[in-house]
Amino acid sequence: MYHRTQTRSVKVGSVQIGGNDQVVIQSMTTTKTHDIKATVDEINRLEEAGCQIVRVACPDMKAAEAISEIKKQINVPLVADIHFDYRLALKAIEGGIDKIRINPGNIGRREKVEQVVKAAKERGIPIRIGVNAGSLEKRILDKYGYPTAEGMVESALYHIGILEDLDFHDIVVSLKASDVPLAIEAYTKAAEKIKYPLHLGITESGTLFSGTVKSSAGMGAILSQGIGSTMRISLSADPVEEVKVARELLKSFGLAANAATLVSCPTCGRIEIDLIKIANEVEEYISKIKAPIKVSVLGCAVNGPGEAKEADIGIAGGRGEGLLFRHGKTIRKVPEDQMVEELKKEIDKLAEEHYQK
Ligand code: SF4
């Protein structure tokens, strides 16, 4: 099996995908791409939330033509999502796109494929092959009867073969399915045969709540095997939520190098403070911190500091006050109404120490 550290690496703008133990967070805009202002605004919101690569739909020439202007106004690498039409791919590449998502086997005549590959090669742009269980080639469906993991991998290998024949190797591959066990099986099988970095996704996973659970179950199983170099959580929600979920998921596997983590207790009858409100406030605050700090918020001091020994900083509720602690040792008591502010100050101090390292 190719562990993510063993895959070939590709460059999407300044961001590396594959060949290391990192998983790059992607999302996709929901705006009409030709609406440049709305698209740029959404891309900027995504970047602020921690999105490292943004994809835009490129369904027509108006969208493809907007890319050059969008590129001028953003900082994150941009991917164009194209189906079938090689002219849109060429226009997007001309506009300075950093990567395209297109299946070479769906482009049509060989000379069209060659033109896209030549243009991508000249600009050093990778191509993502996006296999989807819901749109497998008829030939593969006829062979297997219905979408299977084997069929999905076969489809991916077919598209890869077309690019390799043209001596093109800056490839990323996704094998998305809405069915979680099918997606897990497809990615696991793909990692045995494909040396290119894999882009993870559970497609059409649902709304914020159910889609988060479904995506985390599926991608968690895949990530835990060392598979996947980039990912997109697909939710019927604001795409910023996709980025938040992706960051949280990566944190659970220690794959988000520069993100702060919150540990908070489930609360019980010993609770002394309004913990749920505080935990939410602290979580929101640390979402922007780009340092690997572990913050703990506990409802009482009974087990408090001891329960969160590994936390860099934390608070445990007491009657009308809170205990502020570092690495399991109490540093001082603070009145309840100042607890959160004091904790934020300590978090900032720790983050500053990290940035200066
Ligand atoms: Fe209960 Fe205190 Fe543990 Fe929270 S930290 S679950 S309030 S005992």
Side-chain angles (χ1 to χ4, degrees):
M1 186 199 99
Y2 292 99
H3 186 273
R4 69 174 68 85
T5 52
Q6 298 164 322
T7 58
R8 204 186 150 90
S9 71
V10 303
K11 271 308 218 21
V12 184
S14 56
V15 177
Q16 178 179 333
I17 298 182
N20 57 20
D21 208 11
Q22 284 173 25
V23 181
V24 173
I25 298 174
Q26 303 200 27
S27 184
M28 189 167 181
T29 52
T30 56
T31 54
K32 294 285 179 203
T33 305
H34 63 254
D35 184 344
I36 294 170
K37 182 172 182 322
T39 303
V40 167
D41 285 352
E42 195 164 271
I43 291 172
N44 289 338
R45 283 201 306 123
L46 287 167
E47 186 191 4
E48 202 194 337
C51 188
Q52 296 162 285
I53 295 177
V54 178
R55 180 159 48 116
V56 292
C58 198
D60 50 34
M61 204 40 96
K62 268 197 301 185
E65 281 167 354
I67 283 167
S68 63
E69 191 50 43
I70 293 170
K71 275 289 296 169
K72 283 184 206 148
Q73 300 183 35
I74 60 169
N75 307 310
V76 277
L78 196 66
V79 184
D81 192 285
I82 296 157
H83 289 261
F84 312 115
D85 193 338
Y86 80 112
R87 288 164 305 181
L88 300 178
L90 293 176
K91 182 51 85 180
I93 294 171
E94 189 189 309
I97 204 76
D98 298 292
K99 176 177 157 205
I100 52 172
R101 186 270 191 192
I102 193 165
N103 289 352
N106 300 345
I107 294 177
R109 287 201 315 275
R110 186 171 171 98
E111 56 269 30
K112 294 181 183 173
V113 183
E114 281 174 4
Q115 278 190 56
V116 173
V117 168
K118 184 167 172 277
K121 215 190 254 182
E122 277 169 10
R123 306 265 180 128
I125 294 168
I127 295 177
R128 168 158 71 93
I129 292 166
V131 172
N132 198 311
S135 54
L136 282 177
E137 291 84 1
K138 185 173 176 307
R139 154 182 75 74
I140 289 177
L141 281 179
D142 288 347
K143 179 173 168 187
Y144 292 97
Y146 56 92
T148 60
E150 289 81 6
M152 291 170 72
V153 174
E154 189 173 320
S155 173
L157 291 172
Y158 159 66
H159 293 287
I160 289 170
I162 294 172
L163 294 180
E164 286 182 338
D165 274 353
L166 294 167
D167 195 28
F168 188 88
H169 306 276
D170 283 345
I171 301 171
V172 180
V173 181
S174 62
L175 302 103
K176 298 189 182 181
S178 180
D179 181 80
V180 170
L182 178 59
I184 296 171
E185 197 188 344
Y187 278 106
T188 307
K189 285 195 156 55
E192 283 161 16
K193 295 197 167 149
I194 296 173
K195 65 179 180 297
Y196 298 108
L198 296 177
H199 166 123
L200 305 185
I202 304 291
T203 191
E204 290 131 22
S205 68
T207 56
L208 180 55
F209 177 69
S210 58
T212 297
V213 174
K214 197 171 163 182
S215 300
S216 305
M219 291 204 214
I222 299 164
L223 287 167
S224 68
Q225 299 180 66
I227 299 170
S229 297
T230 181
M231 66 192 284
R232 183 216 171 178
I233 302 278
S234 308
L235 300 175
S236 308
D238 182 339
V240 164
E241 300 296 337
E242 299 184 347
V243 177
K244 285 160 100 176
V245 173
R247 269 169 68 86
E248 215 46 50
L249 183 54
L250 292 180
K251 279 196 246 171
S252 334
F253 290 97
L255 287 165
N258 278 331
T261 320
L262 176 71
V263 177
S264 65
C265 83
T267 82
C268 72
R270 293 193 185 90
I271 192 151
E272 302 272 12
I273 49 173
D274 187 357
L275 183 116
I276 295 173
K277 181 170 167 278
I278 293 172
N280 278 302
E281 196 178 334
V282 174
E283 184 173 67
E284 176 65 31
Y285 190 72
I286 64 169
S287 67
K288 308 249 156 49
I289 303 273
K290 306 247 182 326
I293 299 170
K294 202 177 239 183
V295 182
S296 170
V297 177
L298 300 168
C300 76
V302 171
N303 303 314
E307 257 181 27
K309 271 200 191 77
E310 320 87 78
D312 295 299
I313 188 77
I315 44 169
R319 215 160 273 147
E321 62 185 15
L323 298 175
L324 202 57
F325 57 87
R326 252 189 194 230
H327 303 295
K329 292 211 172 66
T330 306
I331 48 175
R332 63 177 184 274
K333 286 184 181 175
V334 282
E336 187 170 354
D337 58 350
Q338 291 166 28
M339 225 162 39
V340 176
E341 285 317 307
E342 289 296 314
L343 181 62
K344 286 181 184 173
K345 276 189 219 157
E346 293 293 333
I347 293 169
D348 287 347
K349 261 195 236 164
L350 280 169
E352 203 46 51
E353 284 166 23
H354 176 82
Y355 299 145
Q356 281 166 3
K357 267 185 203 161

